[in-house]
Amino acid sequence: MNNKVLGAALSIALTAGTLINANAQKVYKEGYFSFDTELRGNPATVKSYFTPDSSASIITFGAGNVKMLSDAKRDYFAVVLDIPVAGLKKAGVASAAEIEQAFAGLPTFTFTPTTETKVISGFNCKKVVAKEAKSGKSYDLWITNDISIPQSAIAPYYASAGGFPIQYTSFQQGQELNITVKGVTEGKAPAGTFAIGPDFEKVNLEDLNSGQ
């Protein structure tokens, strides 16, 4: 597991961030949303579990998975690796400085609503143009007001977009990935989802990132 994989995992985890829409038709307090992505060019499936207090994004690729844990305040973050083919069961917890550095690297957007609409994954969506402050580059962001999700659920950089992002661009160490949410499921997460199992070796995130 190299730095690129962990960086991708961190980005996806941060793609599980902050948004509340008080006017939504359906309110989700606990559940998960799912989408497909890739790690190092390989297909992967993501389930992002959420409660009002916590989030846990689980990326499954082949027989392995990477789990990212965080809280609603974004002052806790951990990466949990379970890679059977490598005999790896290890968890790294980020320091406050590492969390601050990760947030500093996120894009900053201004949002311009449009009149364009379409249905994506069963959600009524409208297009918002997101312009990044540093690069000046614009992205099409499709949001819905059909639902409301806790603060722990959506990327911080899309917090002011005006709705729940259904189709959007995520950012991973300078790379961009197009994401489409396949669905949102209500209900409690499986036991242990928001914790580090007792059979995992705990290290700091820097050591995990360096392969120690």
Side-chain angles (χ1 to χ4, degrees):
M1 182 64 58
N2 64 20
N3 293 350
K4 290 184 178 180
V5 173
L6 290 174
L10 177 60
S11 179
I12 291 172
L14 292 173
T15 304
T18 305
L19 181 67
I20 295 180
N21 180 4
N23 298 317
Q25 294 178 357
K26 181 172 177 58
V27 176
Y28 290 86
K29 293 185 177 180
E30 293 184 77
Y32 70 87
F33 62 92
S34 59
F35 57 91
D36 295 325
T37 185
E38 62 180 47
L39 283 178
R40 300 178 64 189
N42 297 314
T45 300
V46 180
K47 282 187 175 181
S48 286
Y49 291 91
F50 57 83
T51 70
D53 300 319
S54 304
S55 69
S57 292
I58 302 175
I59 311 168
T60 302
F61 53 99
N65 67 70
V66 179
K67 179 167 69 172
M68 282 73 58
L69 302 173
S70 64
D71 60 13
K73 294 180 180 180
R74 299 302 182 198
D75 56 9
Y76 173 82
F77 180 76
V79 176
V80 184
L81 305 180
D82 188 358
I83 317 296
V85 68
L88 184 62
K89 293 178 75 72
K90 187 175 290 190
V93 179
S95 66
E98 287 172 322
I99 294 174
E100 182 179 359
Q101 182 179 15
F103 272 90
L106 295 178
T108 301
F109 290 112
T110 56
F111 301 102
T112 303
T114 76
T115 58
E116 293 185 54
T117 63
K118 65 178 178 180
V119 177
I120 305 173
S121 301
F123 297 102
N124 297 303
C125 298
K126 56 186 177 182
K127 187 172 84 170
V128 174
V129 177
K131 186 175 182 180
E132 209 284 312
K134 295 179 182 179
S135 67
K137 187 174 180 179
S138 294
Y139 301 83
D140 289 344
L141 170 67
W142 291 88
I143 63 173
T144 186
N145 295 122
D146 289 351
I147 58 177
S148 174
I149 299 293
Q151 292 184 343
S152 61
I154 306 301
Y157 43 82
Y158 290 136
S160 302
F164 180 93
I166 295 296
Q167 194 169 80
Y168 56 93
T169 302
S170 70
F171 303 87
Q172 302 179 4
Q173 291 190 320
Q175 297 183 350
E176 301 173 5
L177 285 177
N178 296 320
I179 301 297
T180 299
V181 172
K182 297 189 296 184
V184 181
T185 301
E186 188 173 26
K188 291 186 177 296
T193 296
F194 300 104
I196 299 172
D199 55 339
F200 283 80
E201 178 189 358
K202 292 183 181 180
V203 298
N204 61 50
L205 190 58
E206 182 179 0
D207 288 343
L208 187 72
N209 196 41
S210 64
Q212 296 184 18

